Amino acid sequence: MTTELEHVDPRNPDARVIARAAACLRRGGLVAFPTETVYGLGVDALDRDAVRRLFEAKGRPSNDPLIVHVSSIEEAGALVIAVPAIARALAARFWPGPLTLVLPRSSLVPDEVTAGLETVAIRVPSHPVARAIIAAAGRPIAAPSANLFSRPSPTQGAHVLDDLGGRIEMIVDGGPTEVGVESTVLDLSRNNPIVLRPGAVTLEMLRPYVPGVRYRTGPTDDEVAQTSPGMLSKHYAPRAPLTLFSGDPLAVREAMVTMAHALAAAGQRVGVMATAADARALGEIGVVLALVSGDAGAEETMVAVASRLYAALRELDTARVDVILACEPAGADGLGGAIRDRLRRAAAHVVRVG
Ligand code: TXA
Ligand code: MG
């Protein structure tokens, strides 16, 4: 299959390209497009065969459910049994935007989309290209991130082409995405709502609407990582094994720089997810640097790190490094929490410092 690649102005996409993408979706085609978080691989959510092809194209296990993208809360209504008041309030505040709501599903939603679950995940993206394509298609669009299964999510059209070129009908390239990490997934289908996946919509932002909201507890990857790193579910992962340094921010950077020196001296090709300060400390020893931000700490910096995270991982893969070293952000919540979650999933080893 040849994959049609179209570049569009992200703010004002060419109506002819949007119409072609929508027609392709209505025929059961697979179309990748930018959202404000990461690129999605879209398919008509009500077309079972197309949804099955999507799982094949990504190499994704069929037990991992998809997010359905719609234009409005009204359109979400047909996909669920009822829209509770809390969902309405959250939608009014955060949609369009990077928040996914999990609700009991209606019979309209195929099993293929929900992996047989009695719930469905729904969001209204804010990216003008995503919005235009969904509106023109005139139906709900199931869209996982447009990467091969277990690879870092794509934040640029070129990432999608690398992973899925020749496997899907069309890529609409609207430049780099803004947020850089996937949407916050909030499960409203239970009595006590929980965040299944942290994202740009943080616990603090949700709390006024969902007072008791918390992160998922239980044997999460987080806890598994502490006791048994090998069992960490491999997700968002670069090809080279990633060692993640966790703990006191200053001690962590020092430990990372020390290990980078040691591995480089031992002849390894070392890749580092680096801040500008790390870059200065590592300048002379010939490691491969992928810059994630200017300097550490502030929430603005977390915004910069999130938007660069997956591109940096892919750059290090392209540079064919043997190992990747990265530091965890200090804060547990805010966007730092989302970055930490993704780095933990990408990591082969977590080194605790201090
Ligand atoms: O930002 C995003 O959410 C991007 C863009 C393209 O919208 N999409 C995305 O999709 O990240 P995907 O398929 O890579 O991740 C979907 C996540 C998975 O963790 C999945 O387990 C969860 O949402 N999910 C989907 N349906 C669910 C359900 N019914 N119950 C619980 N979790 C669900
Ligand atoms: Mg994904």
Side-chain angles (χ1 to χ4, degrees):
M1 175 190 311
T2 31
T3 300
E4 180 187 353
L5 176 62
E6 297 286 352
H7 292 264
V8 293
D9 175 346
R11 256 157 292 182
N12 184 22
D14 184 338
R16 285 164 304 183
V17 174
I18 298 298
R20 268 214 300 289
C24 184
L25 286 166
R26 282 198 301 268
R27 286 195 304 270
L30 308 181
V31 178
F33 55 82
T35 79
E36 70 279 20
T37 57
V38 300
Y39 274 74
L41 178 58
V43 70
D44 179 349
L46 306 182
D47 182 338
R48 291 171 191 273
D49 292 333
V51 174
R52 276 191 221 112
R53 280 188 58 225
L54 180 150
F55 277 95
E56 264 167 49
K58 270 186 64 95
R60 177 173 172 126
S62 58
N63 63 0
D64 194 357
L66 306 177
I67 296 171
V68 181
H69 297 63
V70 294
S71 295
S72 65
I73 181 91
E74 287 72 32
E75 278 178 30
L79 305 173
V80 299
I81 291 173
V83 180
I86 196 168
R88 231 171 259 291
L90 287 166
R93 168 66 182 83
F94 295 108
W95 282 358
L99 176 66
T100 295
L101 301 179
V102 174
L103 291 164
R105 67 160 167 152
S106 74
S107 56
L108 190 65
V109 184
D111 281 339
E112 284 79 357
V113 169
T114 68
L117 295 177
E118 285 311 311
T119 55
V120 60
I122 304 175
R123 86 177 186 101
V124 176
S126 64
H127 195 293
V129 174
R131 289 173 69 72
I133 289 175
I134 295 162
R139 51 195 75 175
I141 301 298
S145 48
N147 51 300
L148 282 175
F149 177 68
S150 92
R151 297 270 299 139
S153 291
T155 54
Q156 301 171 15
H159 299 162
V160 182
L161 191 62
D162 282 347
D163 277 17
L164 298 174
R167 303 170 77 98
I168 64 176
E169 273 78 12
M170 187 172 179
I171 299 170
V172 181
D173 187 336
T177 62
E178 196 186 322
V179 178
V181 293
E182 303 84 346
S183 62
T184 304
V185 178
L186 174 64
D187 187 352
L188 291 178
S189 71
R190 51 180 75 222
N191 288 334
N192 303 308
I194 56 172
V195 169
L196 299 175
R197 180 175 71 183
V201 175
T202 65
L203 279 186
E204 290 95 343
M205 292 159 75
L206 291 170
R207 233 172 240 128
Y209 305 86
V210 197
V213 70
R214 54 181 174 77
Y215 287 130
R216 172 170 54 182
T217 54
T220 58
D221 284 331
D222 220 57
E223 285 133 64
V224 172
Q226 288 170 34
T227 52
S228 174
M231 303 245 329
L232 195 60
S233 74
K234 284 293 268 181
H235 245 95
Y236 316 101
R239 293 195 183 91
L242 186 151
T243 295
L244 182 63
F245 293 80
S246 169
D248 170 71
L250 283 178
V252 149
R253 303 221 94 82
E254 207 179 289
M256 182 180 77
V257 169
T258 304
M259 184 174 281
H261 276 275
L263 291 171
Q268 297 249 26
R269 193 165 161 76
V270 182
V272 177
M273 305 273 285
T275 62
D278 300 329
R280 280 192 295 278
L282 289 165
E284 267 104 70
I285 62 165
V287 302
V288 181
L289 299 170
L291 276 186
V292 287
S293 77
D295 49 16
E299 184 67 17
E300 300 92 281
T301 306
M302 290 298 109
V303 169
V305 172
S307 77
R308 281 279 306 147
L309 185 71
Y310 291 135
L313 287 173
R314 282 176 181 262
E315 282 167 20
L316 294 175
D317 268 345
T318 304
R320 305 217 157 271
V321 298
D322 301 315
V323 291
I324 297 175
L325 308 182
C327 291
E328 243 175 37
D333 197 32
L335 207 39
I339 294 164
R340 181 145 86 156
D341 171 74
R342 304 314 191 274
L343 281 171
R344 291 267 176 108
R345 289 167 190 275
H349 319 278
V350 179
V351 175
R352 274 160 217 284
V353 184

